[in-house]
Amino acid sequence: MKTKALFAVLIGVDLILLLAQIPGLSIGYHEAKIVYGAPSPLQYWLHLSFALAGYNDWALRLPMIALHLMSVVLLYQIARYYVNRDSDRLWIVLIYVLLPGVISSALIVDNAGLVIVTLFMFGYLYLRYGLYALAMLPLLVWIDPAFAYLFVAIALFGIYRRDVRWSLSGIVALGISLYLYGTGIGGTPESRFLDMLGVYSAIFSPIVFIYLFYVLYRRLIAKERDLIWMIAMSAFVISLLLSFRQKVDVQSFAPFLLLALPMAAQTFFKTYRVRLREFRGRYRLLFYTAFSLLVLNALVVFFNQWAYPMLDKPSRHFAYPMHVAKELAASLKHRGITCIETSDEKLQLRLRFYGITQCDTYRLTESSQSESDKVTISYKNTPVFVGYVTKVNKN
């Protein structure tokens, strides 16, 4: 009962912190393309929210937060199969919600959030019902092309276990996925290996990523290779191989490594507790250092606007693409402007979400012109955007 109460508190605090971020975010260009672009499962999920609450930031972000909370519950259930203590499961969930990539997926509209929750659902069904988890494959094929890496792992797992049902299911699902979406392999040979490792470290934090890699390698040597290990290892190896030829979209591979978090925790707790108390010092240091870095990263994300006064160029801020648009739209509406033209196509699409359509009556530029009206957007008393609005003379 105590564990369930603590888990509820953890989810509640996580929800409050995420909700507190919504007022400070504007729709990004990538998000706007999902909202107004080609139909997709994620777009259907968003439009359901818009139908209920209208086009606003809350309706945009809440569906992603809902997916995130579902993934937290699923991870808590998956952890049951790897650790025995309820307190260990709580630690796994706490580490998960503090990961920089997870915080981003909970707030930013992107397929990563949908991939994580459906992948965790598959992992839970596999651990609880075994072969019946394969019933999810048609849904996964439809949701995202990235699940091709899961299908590779399923096929390899079937070959490793000499189980035709697993191998044939993986091969068929992989073939359909490649037929529908293509391979995504191209470009000219160039090494992006270090770039890929840097992005992985940013998503997981350096210590957590290194330890995940260590656990995957250790289980490879020890021949402890269940399907969860196969999924994480296959995705990482494929991303590694692709990095020698092209730029890798690490966000497509990272969810598959997230599934290995309970496995990594199992290895850590076993290694820690098998030692006498006086020999556990370096493991405690490793854990506290990793946890402290995660908390620091989370604070940087949650209080990111305070970094603007320290930057010479606001556009270098990591969250700048998610700022300005909402405040700019409000400033234009305050001037009685509901449509405008700008040379920045990305900004034009973002303004559309806030009711500022495209027209040739007004023009927004970066440089001052005759009879132009200056618009300044500031965060923490620091100007981050300066534009000039000019009414177009059609005579």
Side-chain angles (χ1 to χ4, degrees):
M1 189 66 183
K2 181 180 178 181
T3 301
K4 291 182 179 179
L6 289 174
F7 180 63
V9 170
L10 195 157
I11 285 186
V13 173
D14 184 32
L15 174 60
I16 292 171
L17 290 174
L18 292 174
L19 292 177
Q21 302 307 304
I22 294 178
L25 293 174
S26 297
I27 189 172
Y29 175 64
H30 176 71
E31 296 176 313
K33 286 200 301 181
I34 293 176
V35 172
Y36 297 112
S40 66
L42 182 59
Q43 188 190 76
Y44 298 145
W45 178 241
L46 293 174
H47 282 189
L48 174 61
S49 178
F50 295 147
L52 296 174
Y55 281 78
N56 56 71
D57 287 299
W58 293 92
L60 179 70
R61 308 287 172 197
L62 284 176
M64 302 309 301
I65 294 177
L67 291 176
H68 166 73
L69 295 179
M70 285 189 281
S71 74
V72 172
V73 174
L74 286 169
L75 182 66
Y76 184 73
Q77 296 300 324
I78 290 172
R80 184 191 303 272
Y81 296 90
Y82 287 93
V83 295
N84 296 322
R85 299 187 184 185
D86 292 336
S87 59
D88 293 348
R89 296 165 65 193
L90 290 175
W91 276 113
I92 292 171
V93 170
L94 181 58
I95 295 296
Y96 172 74
V97 299
L98 287 175
L99 291 176
V102 172
I103 296 174
S104 298
S105 69
L107 290 171
I108 298 176
V109 176
D110 186 82
N111 257 22
L114 186 58
V115 169
I116 290 172
V117 71
T118 49
L119 177 64
F120 282 12
M121 175 61 73
F122 176 83
Y124 172 71
L125 291 177
Y126 159 71
L127 291 169
R128 182 163 185 177
Y129 301 107
L131 193 66
Y132 293 105
L134 294 177
M136 276 195 68
L137 295 193
L139 174 64
L140 300 182
V141 169
W142 176 64
I143 285 178
D144 195 275
F147 279 111
Y149 313 126
L150 170 66
F151 306 145
V152 170
I154 291 173
L156 292 176
F157 179 71
I159 294 171
Y160 176 70
R161 291 293 180 90
R162 298 180 182 178
D163 191 323
V164 176
R165 296 169 297 180
W166 286 99
S167 57
L168 185 60
S169 298
I171 291 171
V172 171
L174 176 62
I176 295 174
S177 180
L178 294 179
Y179 174 77
L180 293 175
Y181 306 113
T183 61
I185 299 175
T188 57
E190 55 178 334
S191 178
R192 298 276 186 164
F193 176 73
L194 294 179
D195 294 341
M196 181 198 69
L197 293 182
V199 177
Y200 269 128
S201 297
I203 292 174
F204 290 95
S205 85
I207 295 179
V208 174
F209 171 63
I210 292 172
Y211 192 76
L212 273 173
F213 173 74
Y214 162 75
V215 170
L216 293 176
Y217 175 75
R218 175 173 170 170
R219 291 195 173 230
L220 172 66
I221 300 301
K223 297 185 179 180
E224 299 175 0
R225 307 166 188 172
D226 66 353
L227 180 58
I228 303 300
W229 176 89
M230 194 71 73
I231 292 171
M233 192 65 171
S234 297
F236 181 70
V237 170
I238 292 173
S239 68
L240 176 64
L241 294 175
L242 290 177
S243 70
F244 290 107
R245 178 176 179 84
Q246 65 190 61
K247 183 178 180 180
V248 175
D249 182 15
V250 178
Q251 289 84 346
S252 297
F253 293 92
F256 301 95
L257 271 71
L258 284 173
L259 189 59
L261 278 177
M263 181 185 301
Q266 180 191 52
T267 301
F268 178 83
F269 288 128
K270 281 186 177 180
T271 306
Y272 175 77
R273 289 173 182 144
V274 77
R275 284 165 169 75
L276 296 174
R277 189 174 298 275
E278 55 267 27
F279 298 111
R280 296 176 179 177
R282 60 177 181 175
Y283 291 94
R284 286 195 293 267
L285 178 62
L286 175 66
F287 178 82
Y288 291 139
T289 302
F291 185 74
S292 299
L293 288 175
L294 287 175
V295 172
L296 179 61
N297 286 332
L299 292 175
V300 169
V301 173
F302 291 145
F303 299 98
N304 65 83
Q305 291 188 7
W306 290 94
Y308 278 114
M310 297 181 285
L311 298 175
D312 294 332
K313 294 184 178 180
S315 59
R316 292 182 177 178
H317 192 289
F318 71 92
Y320 186 78
M322 307 296 296
H323 290 156
V324 174
K326 176 168 55 179
E327 292 83 1
L328 176 59
S331 180
L332 293 174
K333 288 181 179 179
H334 182 72
R335 291 169 167 81
I337 300 173
T338 58
C339 68
I340 201 166
E341 182 181 44
T342 173
S343 59
D344 188 341
E345 296 180 1
K346 294 182 179 180
L347 181 59
Q348 188 83 65
L349 186 61
R350 296 174 66 198
L351 290 174
R352 175 182 171 184
F353 183 78
Y354 298 105
I356 305 296
T357 57
Q358 184 174 8
C359 70
D360 58 358
T361 305
Y362 293 92
R363 183 172 295 132
L364 177 66
T365 60
E366 295 181 357
S367 57
S368 177
Q369 300 178 7
S370 60
E371 300 182 357
S372 61
D373 189 9
K374 185 177 180 181
V375 179
T376 303
I377 307 300
S378 299
Y379 292 142
K380 307 305 174 187
N381 298 319
T382 302
V384 299
F385 175 86
V386 177
Y388 297 89
V389 177
T390 306
K391 187 171 183 179
V392 178
N393 187 355
K394 299 182 179 180
N395 296 329

